[in-house]
Amino acid sequence: MILNASIVLVCVLVGLVLMLPRVAGARIWRATVTPLASIIGSGFLVLGPILDTHFGVWAPAVMALLCALAYGYGAVMRHNIAWLDSGTPQDRLDHRLEQLGALALAFAYFVSVAYYLNLLGSFAVSLTDQTAQQGAEQGRLVTSGVFLLILLVGWTRGFGALERLEEVSVGVKLAIIAGLLVALGWRFADQAGAGALVLHLPETVGWQAVTLVFGLLVTVQGFEITRYMGAEYDAGTRIRSMRYAQGLSAAIYMVYILFLTFLYQPGQAALSETAIIAFTAQVAPVLPMLLIAAALSAQFSAAVADTGGAGGLVAEVTGGRVPAHGVYAMLAAAGLLMTWGLSVFEIIGYASRAFAFYYALQSLIAARRAWHAGAGRRALAFAALAALGAVIVVFGAGVE
């Protein structure tokens, strides 16, 4: 009872702090919220059991590697934001690569929306009393219904009303994550004091482990959205907000994975996208409902944002020849095919490879710009990131 009350109290306090006018109204915080929501919403809940099961005591090191990789690609995006703000004229190849990058990001959004909504469906039915097969079927039905809802709203009214839910969902999610970390820290202290921390060796090693890490890139993705917020914020604000969002999300991820690594015992149940729900029920009875609420709001708002982003990008690149409404229909059709043809873990792998392709293009663009500016070392670093992105596209693997 004390732990449950403490969790709720922390959630309420953090939520109230985030609602304070000095916080909610701060320009830099508003600019940070959007990428922060995308990063954490991409895979916070699903990532813990995956890393712990496959990498054991090395899970925190793998998490640090994923955060470092994301920060490297964030540096690429920040360089490109600063370059575009400088007013340096684009050559023809640079312009073509930018257009290709926009289309690549739109395609990545196609896959990521399927990923978000399949997670939403899985969490929506996670507490129902049914077999794994029945739960998967019901989850797909929920996902399909939400796809059709988003398509209907996009076609008839636009996403303006739904997008306003983002600020609320971000506050709810961060408050619940704070409560989760308090609960895990409490449990960690108890088990450490009793000498009962869980230690286990990795199940996945070698090249298979490397390709699995590649396939998890999407779980730390989301910072790139700052690149396309130029209508609202100047370049300096966007660059700072991306750094803040990546730094804060990395800190949250590392604390979460560190606690979970020494608390979660793989093999207690089949690894699934909602495995964290069953585990947290053992930590505190109030956590599962809180986490489901966070997952539903986060995945829905992220799916709406990416659907709108995909429509806008394709319409812009094609000069309006492919209208946003048409893109919404294609996205929904592709999402339904993925929903009924792939597992959530397979979709995660494909989404990671789609974003890796986009990051590779952005890295190539940044390398060209840095080289022409005489920044040879930076150009080589960006070229290496472009090559790594290409490797991820080819070899990134899904969770089995």
Side-chain angles (χ1 to χ4, degrees), residues 104-332:
L105 182 58
F107 174 74
Y109 283 159
F110 273 48
V111 189
S112 68
V113 171
Y115 160 47
Y116 293 141
L117 293 188
N118 273 271
L119 278 183
L120 184 152
S122 296
F123 277 97
V125 301
S126 59
L127 293 184
T128 56
D129 186 18
Q130 52 192 337
T131 65
Q133 183 175 357
Q134 290 172 329
E137 191 83 1
Q138 292 297 316
R140 289 189 175 100
L141 288 172
V142 171
T143 297
S144 300
V146 179
F147 261 120
L148 295 176
L149 172 63
I150 288 178
L151 176 60
L152 178 63
V153 171
W155 268 61
T156 58
R157 302 187 62 183
F159 294 125
L162 295 180
E163 286 170 349
R164 285 192 286 272
L165 293 173
E166 181 181 35
E167 294 181 14
V168 176
S169 70
V170 171
V172 168
K173 180 166 56 181
L174 290 177
I176 291 174
I177 285 174
L180 171 64
L181 295 182
V182 166
L184 293 178
W186 187 307
R187 180 69 173 264
F188 182 90
D190 279 349
Q191 292 197 195
L197 293 178
V198 174
L199 296 172
H200 62 95
L201 296 175
E203 296 181 4
T204 306
V205 296
W207 179 245
Q208 186 180 2
V210 174
T211 59
L212 177 56
V213 174
F214 289 166
L216 294 174
L217 179 62
V218 71
T219 59
V220 288
Q221 155 276 328
F223 51 87
E224 72 286 336
I225 195 172
T226 308
R227 160 75 170 75
Y228 302 96
M229 293 165 58
E232 303 171 62
Y233 304 100
D234 60 78
T237 300
R238 285 181 287 145
I239 288 170
R240 282 197 300 147
S241 68
M242 189 191 296
R243 286 199 181 101
Y244 293 159
Q246 288 197 289
L248 181 55
S249 62
I252 291 171
Y253 267 120
M254 288 305 303
V255 172
Y256 168 60
I257 296 299
L258 186 63
F259 285 152
L260 206 64
T261 296
F262 299 100
L263 296 176
Y264 183 82
Q265 179 63 59
Q268 293 176 335
L271 179 62
S272 71
E273 61 272 21
T274 59
I276 191 67
I277 298 298
F279 169 72
T280 55
Q282 303 170 22
V283 177
V286 74
L287 279 176
M289 291 304 299
L290 290 175
L291 293 182
I292 289 173
L296 296 183
S297 64
Q299 304 311 322
F300 182 74
S301 62
V304 167
D306 282 7
T307 301
L313 282 171
V314 174
E316 179 181 336
V317 171
T318 62
R321 289 188 296 273
V322 180
H325 285 179
V327 179
Y328 302 155
M330 290 187 288
L331 184 148

Side-chain angles (χ1 to χ4, degrees), residues 316-386:
E316 179 181 336
V317 171
T318 62
R321 289 188 296 273
V322 180
H325 285 179
V327 179
Y328 302 155
M330 290 187 288
L331 184 148
L336 289 171
L337 286 174
M338 284 184 275
T339 296
W340 291 97
L342 301 172
S343 70
V344 174
F345 288 151
E346 288 174 316
I347 296 174
I348 289 174
Y350 284 117
S352 291
R353 294 161 76 177
F355 277 102
F357 180 61
Y358 169 72
Y359 293 146
L361 282 174
Q362 286 293 319
S363 298
L364 179 60
I365 293 169
R368 289 187 75 246
R369 291 169 176 171
W371 183 261
H372 289 310
R377 290 185 179 179
R378 182 172 292 187
L380 288 175
F382 291 156
L385 285 169

